[in-house]
Amino acid sequence: MEDIPEWAVLIGNVGFPVLLSLYLLIRFEKRIDGLIKVIRDLQSKINNSDV
């Protein structure tokens, strides 16, 4: 273990969680944008039905 550079260990320990987090954020961003659109459409329909 002493032969492995410190930066390589750091990348090994931190790199995977960072990449996983970025991947999930990108995926969920698309779903959240879709939910926002649906909520706005619903709000618009509710407001139009009150008139």
Side-chain angles (χ1 to χ4, degrees):
M1 278 295 197
E2 295 296 325
D3 296 336
I4 300 174
E6 188 175 329
W7 60 268
V9 173
L10 182 64
I11 290 174
N13 289 336
V14 178
F16 177 73
V18 168
L19 288 176
L20 182 64
S21 298
L22 289 173
Y23 171 75
L24 291 174
L25 281 173
I26 291 169
R27 281 192 52 131
F28 285 129
E29 181 183 11
K30 293 176 186 175
R31 291 184 182 187
I32 291 172
D33 288 341
L35 287 172
I36 290 171
K37 182 185 179 307
V38 169
I39 290 170
R40 286 186 178 151
D41 290 345
L42 180 61
Q43 184 180 19
S44 172
K45 288 181 182 182
I46 290 172
N47 288 339
N48 288 339
S49 68
D50 288 342
V51 174

